[in-house]
Amino acid sequence: MTAFTGVDSQNLPDVMVSVQFILAIGENLSLLYSEKDSISIYRIFLKNIAAYHHTNNVDYLFHASAAANVLFDIKNKNYLTPQDQQDLKLFLTQNNHWNLSTIQAFGNSGFILPNNTVFQLINSLIEDIVYLENINFEFYLEAWNTIINNSLILVKTDFKKSKLLLARIKELSYTEPYLSITVKVNFLELLIHYREDGNSEPIKRFLESAKVLGIPNLYNDLLSGWALLKLNS
């Protein structure tokens, strides 16, 4: 990564969008990812995908997908077969409403599912956002993180779909006291504008303003989104 205007490219965090919910599944993928230990991560993937094929237990598929998602970050290769991708989509959509497990699984599979599937699932999650806010606020916040993070992936991989999602997201009302949602939605819009005109100055100013807020996790999330868009571009 070399072209990070206004930010020290040597101090950028790794692209952690794909490991948003890693700690939720009990495997220390976050540490292995930070060490770029693709061999150990691949072993985790193989163990869980084999267990899924043997038992048909969806938890193993969710774990395998998270490992495959991290491997995609490192090696730019998708280890999840088309059939397993289809199974994952079916498991994510088989219930009338999203729950914490399915939200987290989708949050951990944005890189390894086809763009059309990611687009469809984000729209499904958007349709459920009011229900999630009423039923459990933790689910609501996790859903927003997943919507925005996976939309960021589409900014890079399917720009037209990301623009459609942004228009839909901006039609939603969201809980204002939670600054991170507002900031991330605004940043998503800036990244889309950047894809259109190539002007990084608004992003530079936004990142500097976010840094002043004094919320390190939020600032690092924004840097990760910027790194994701700039990688290999």
Side-chain angles (χ1 to χ4, degrees):
M1 292 176 280
T2 57
F4 294 89
T5 307
V7 214
D8 183 357
S9 63
Q10 299 303 312
N11 294 323
L12 279 170
D14 291 316
V15 182
M16 296 300 289
V17 175
S18 65
V19 290
Q20 175 187 353
F21 297 115
I22 284 302
L23 296 180
I25 69 169
E27 300 280 11
N28 198 10
L29 289 179
S30 183
L31 176 61
L32 295 174
Y33 176 76
S34 68
E35 297 172 346
K36 297 296 185 287
D37 187 353
S38 59
I39 294 176
S40 296
I41 297 170
Y42 186 57
R43 287 172 180 160
I44 292 172
F45 167 75
L46 289 176
K47 179 184 72 174
N48 282 283
I49 201 65
Y52 167 65
H53 291 155
H54 180 68
T55 66
N56 206 37
N57 184 328
V58 68
D59 288 338
Y60 290 121
L61 178 59
F62 287 172
H63 294 190
S65 299
N69 212 45
V70 175
L71 284 170
F72 188 92
D73 268 3
I74 298 173
K75 302 178 74 68
N76 197 33
K77 179 179 179 180
N78 192 348
Y79 290 91
L80 205 66
T81 67
Q83 181 58 59
D84 289 330
Q85 292 174 34
Q86 183 62 26
D87 289 355
L88 178 59
K89 177 183 177 181
L90 290 174
F91 280 122
L92 291 176
T93 57
Q94 67 180 355
N95 297 318
N96 291 330
H97 293 288
W98 289 78
N99 55 49
L100 187 59
S101 177
T102 54
I103 293 169
Q104 290 176 341
F106 181 38
N108 271 330
S109 55
F111 285 121
I112 57 172
L113 289 172
N115 290 336
N116 284 337
T117 298
V118 174
F119 180 72
Q120 293 166 7
L121 292 174
I122 291 173
N123 275 298
S124 171
L125 195 49
I126 288 173
E127 289 169 2
D128 219 26
I129 201 72
V130 174
Y131 166 81
L132 292 169
E133 183 178 15
N134 290 332
I135 203 70
N136 186 299
F137 206 68
E138 179 189 2
F139 295 5
Y140 173 75
L141 293 179
E142 300 286 29
W144 265 111
N145 280 328
T146 296
I147 288 167
I148 296 169
N149 285 356
N150 283 346
S151 295
L152 284 172
I153 293 173
L154 290 179
V155 173
K156 186 174 181 68
T157 61
D158 197 324
F159 184 55
K160 290 183 179 179
K161 286 184 173 59
S162 71
K163 290 181 68 176
L164 292 172
L165 287 169
L166 176 64
R168 192 159 184 210
I169 288 169
K170 290 178 69 175
E171 293 175 353
L172 297 173
S173 61
Y174 42 86
T175 306
E176 291 296 337
Y178 284 84
L179 180 65
S180 63
I181 297 175
T182 304
V183 170
K184 288 182 178 181
V185 170
N186 290 340
F187 191 64
L188 173 64
E189 185 170 13
L190 284 177
L191 291 179
I192 287 175
H193 290 325
Y194 168 76
R195 279 294 310 273
E196 290 176 322
D197 59 24
N199 181 10
S200 63
E201 286 301 310
I203 293 175
K204 177 179 71 173
R205 293 193 296 268
F206 194 88
L207 287 171
E208 291 300 322
S209 298
K211 191 173 184 179
V212 172
L213 289 174
I215 309 175
N217 289 342
L218 176 59
Y219 179 65
N220 287 335
D221 282 349
L222 300 181
L223 286 181
S224 293
W226 181 222
L228 170 67
L229 188 58
K230 294 294 291 185
L231 280 175
N232 302 319
S233 58

